[in-house]
Amino acid sequence: MSAEAVKRPDRQPDASTVKQPYEAVIGLEVHAQLRTRTKMFCGCSTAFGARPNTQTCPVCQGMPGTLPVINRRAVEFGIKTALAINCTVNADNRFARKHYYYPDMPKNYQISQYEEPLAEHGHLDITTADGMRRIGIQRLHLEEDVGKLVHEGTLETALSSQVDFNRAGVPLMEIVSKPDLRTSEEAAAYLKALRAILVYLDVCDGNMEEGSLRCDANISLRHAGAKEFGTKVEIKNMNSFKNVQHALDYEIKRQARALDTGERIVQETRLWDPDRAHTVSMRSKEFAHDYRYFPEPDLPPLDVAAAWIDRIRGTLPELPAARRQRFMMAYTLSPYDAEVATSSKALADYFETAAQGSRNPKTVANWVLNEVLRVVPPDDEKAIAACPITPAALQELIGLIEDGTISGRIAKDVFDKMLASGEGARVIVAREGLTQVADASELGAVVDNVLSTHAKVVEDYKAGKKAALGFLVGQVMKWTSGKASPAVVNALLLEKLPKL
Ligand SMILES: [Zn+2]
């Protein structure tokens, strides 16, 4: 069975009920709120968390007679992103009206782009368990966000709902992938890679919980090797990488079971319910023609000059893929370590600051990837910035190991104490007397003691069991509460053992 096939008995508990190997065909639609100061078509602030309806004006409230004006910065951010994901920017593109009725949208149409999007035909390389895979990007277009409905209680039981138009008109960029993804893991990897790029570019804060980055998925199943696509289902409301993966896993199982039993799969929109861990039908899928798209008569076509594109190209920062390569070259990190270290700009910056001037960047990488990531998630920019152990503090701690002041074991305890107190490594080590004991005469007595209490182990060692040495070093470390210098203990043991 190919690695791309859906049937994975080790991952899916009830995969035994899946009779046929199916292949999942997945495409993602990602909506990113752009980090402009003002909205897409008016001058209202986009700041998150303000009191409801305090950031509105006649334009974003959809009053008749008002006219929208395109936010130049939003277009620039769109172009920047398009270039970073290898899209062709269309010199001529145009906004369109997408009609539908919903109380969070006062105009009863959304200004979006339809036939002439800002950019098309890009790709994004993702790292999967089977190596690098290139995922096609169909299009990137700009639109405006809608308002937010606040229900009294749950959606099902609310007696009334209120609407907050602060979000109405916030610039939104939609990036649509080709249906190139085959597993839920690939979908999560794609979303992570795309999010990292948006944050590196500083065009979106990537906050999925606050909804600045949202993801919908289209998924269908077909027999492995088949050419035609199956009936696709759209899943909405997945506000974390984990939810995307879980929702797709659930949907793959649901559709496989339906296909197995000959049930018809309905083209529809389903909602992921993370609490109940299932998807529920929301509405039958609407088709593009349902929206009665037509060119927005209140806005001129958007001409993007080649010189402008070139100028924006010149401002592109180093992107995750390039930084990964550089980390491998400059700091001799393994491909895996480089991948993790660049998974967010914040983490990459953290590592690079800590590694600056270090004699052994690999040690720094180990500390960042094993210890720092134990306490902060790799893609949580805020948590990384707020980490009580700053890159400089970590540098100081590693410096103490490298100059022999403390052992690696003690360093882990010091790390936890730094985390809890926010104090520096040097301060903690001095106060608690954790300095490593490297004095052979001081350690000699402990070594003798250990040798006499573990006569059997000494016998084993002499009988050729070399691993016994490690045990004895461990005992000395234990006796000294981890303060002994392992190198000195090792040397002492090698000197004393043959004489016994
Ligand atoms: Zn406004």
Side-chain angles (χ1 to χ4, degrees):
M1 194 194 306
S2 89
E4 291 187 346
V6 167
K7 209 170 157 189
R8 288 182 170 227
D10 54 328
R11 293 275 177 92
Q12 302 195 9
D14 57 350
S16 56
T17 59
V18 180
K19 288 187 213 120
Q20 308 253 18
Y22 296 108
E23 178 183 65
V25 176
I26 303 167
L28 294 188
E29 288 175 14
V30 173
H31 284 91
Q33 276 184 350
L34 296 174
R35 293 191 67 180
T36 53
R37 281 194 309 110
T38 57
K39 292 187 181 180
M40 188 70 219
F41 302 112
C42 63
C44 291
S45 165
T46 56
F48 181 81
R51 277 190 49 233
N53 297 310
T54 53
Q55 293 170 173
T56 58
C57 73
V59 174
C60 56
Q61 287 179 70
M63 298 294 175
T66 57
L67 286 172
V69 177
I70 301 171
N71 183 331
R72 188 182 171 88
R73 181 49 74 89
V75 179
E76 186 188 311
F77 282 0
I79 295 172
K80 213 169 181 177
T81 310
L83 295 174
I85 53 176
N86 314 289
C87 285
T88 308
V89 178
N90 292 326
D92 300 309
N93 64 93
R94 190 187 276 277
F95 285 95
R97 287 189 182 180
K98 179 182 183 180
H99 299 84
Y100 63 98
Y101 172 80
Y102 207 68
D104 60 10
M105 200 177 58
K107 295 196 298 283
N108 288 340
Y109 62 83
Q110 176 190 29
I111 305 180
S112 179
Q113 293 191 298
Y114 182 48
E115 279 169 330
E116 297 151 284
L118 180 63
E120 294 170 285
H121 315 307
H123 61 82
L124 179 58
D125 292 332
I126 59 167
T127 312
T128 71
D130 307 318
M132 190 81 91
R133 277 207 63 209
R134 178 157 290 186
I135 306 303
I137 308 251
Q138 202 174 311
R139 59 186 275 144
L140 177 154
H141 71 248
L142 298 174
E143 58 188 29
E144 55 179 340
D145 208 344
V146 294
K148 199 169 171 179
L149 289 180
V150 184
H151 308 290
E152 267 183 24
T154 66
L155 177 60
E156 292 82 7
T157 59
L159 292 176
S160 74
S161 300
Q162 292 171 315
V163 63
D164 174 9
F165 287 123
N166 284 354
R167 197 177 71 177
V170 167
L172 214 52
M173 176 169 68
E174 180 171 336
I175 299 167
V176 183
S177 86
K178 289 190 178 153
D180 289 349
L181 300 157
R182 292 292 172 267
T183 64
S184 64
E185 289 89 351
E186 284 184 8
Y190 167 86
L191 188 57
K192 279 183 190 172
L194 185 56
R195 180 191 181 277
I197 289 176
L198 299 177
V199 178
Y200 268 70
L201 293 173
D202 205 18
V203 299
C204 171
D205 67 18
N207 190 328
M208 294 186 78
E209 269 165 35
E210 286 177 5
S212 358
L213 190 71
R214 289 166 252 162
C215 174
D216 302 334
N218 283 298
I219 171 166
S220 63
L221 257 53
R222 64 181 173 191
H223 287 285
K227 286 270 176 294
E228 296 83 39
F229 293 133
T231 306
K232 72 177 175 187
V233 167
E234 186 180 16
I235 316 175
K236 286 188 178 289
N237 195 35
M238 303 172 289
N239 63 351
S240 71
F241 298 126
K242 215 166 63 192
N243 278 340
V244 169
Q245 211 168 330
H246 289 171
L248 288 170
D249 281 338
Y250 174 86
E251 196 55 24
I252 288 168
K253 271 188 279 186
R254 189 189 71 84
Q255 292 188 19
R257 217 175 288 129
L259 291 172
D260 276 346
T261 56
E263 192 187 313
R264 194 174 69 94
I265 295 193
V266 187
Q267 175 154 345
E268 62 182 348
T269 300
R270 297 178 73 90
L271 215 59
W272 170 245
D273 180 342
D275 298 326
R276 299 198 185 110
H278 65 185
T279 60
V280 284
S281 181
M282 185 169 122
R283 56 171 187 247
S284 66
K285 171 75 186 163
E286 52 293 276
F287 295 88
H289 62 249
D290 292 330
Y291 292 119
R292 301 290 189 274
Y293 279 101
F294 63 70
E296 169 59 63
D298 287 343
L299 288 170
L302 186 60
D303 297 329
V304 179
W308 192 25
I309 300 175
D310 285 342
R311 223 167 30 243
I312 293 171
R313 200 190 300 276
T315 67
L316 284 182
E318 182 183 42
L319 293 168
R323 204 165 193 192
R324 202 154 51 231
Q325 288 302 321
R326 187 165 60 77
F327 278 11
M328 285 161 62
M329 300 293 288
Y331 302 115
T332 61
L333 299 194
S334 70
Y336 177 80
D337 286 354
E339 171 93 28
V340 180
T342 53
S343 53
S344 72
K345 184 173 183 296
L347 185 66
D349 289 346
Y350 184 103
F351 162 72
E352 198 146 34
T353 313
Q356 222 107 84
S358 163
R359 271 169 293 156
N360 198 347
K362 254 185 116 67
T363 308
V364 179
N366 285 340
W367 275 88
V368 173
L369 302 183
N370 297 323
E371 302 305 321
V372 177
L373 287 191
R374 191 158 55 80
V375 289
V376 295
D379 42 39
D380 188 337
E381 284 80 12
K382 278 186 195 150
I384 293 169
C387 181
I389 301 181
T390 62
L394 183 68
Q395 215 171 31
E396 183 184 313
L397 175 67
I398 295 171
L400 291 179
I401 311 169
E402 285 181 342
D403 67 15
T405 308
I406 54 171
S407 67
R409 221 210 77 179
I410 288 285
K412 300 219 167 159
D413 295 342
V414 175
F415 182 90
D416 286 338
K417 286 176 178 154
M418 290 164 73
L419 205 57
S421 67
E423 289 175 309
R426 225 171 267 285
V427 173
I428 294 169
V429 167
R431 187 182 56 227
E432 305 198 4
L434 299 172
T435 305
Q436 180 164 260
V437 182
D439 180 2
S441 59
E442 213 174 309
L443 289 174
V446 185
V447 170
D448 288 341
N449 220 332
V450 165
L451 287 174
S452 61
T453 40
H454 294 284
K456 173 79 178 57
V457 184
V458 173
E459 293 286 296
D460 288 349
Y461 177 79
K462 286 165 117 181
K465 205 176 148 195
K466 297 296 165 208
L469 183 65
F471 173 81
L472 294 170
V473 174
Q475 289 304 308
V476 178
M477 296 306 289
K478 211 167 145 189
W479 269 74
T480 57
S481 311
K483 284 197 274 176
S485 154
V488 175
V489 173
N490 212 49
L492 278 172
L493 282 166
L494 285 176
E495 181 197 317
K496 286 175 192 269
L497 275 167
K499 294 178 193 154
L500 290 174

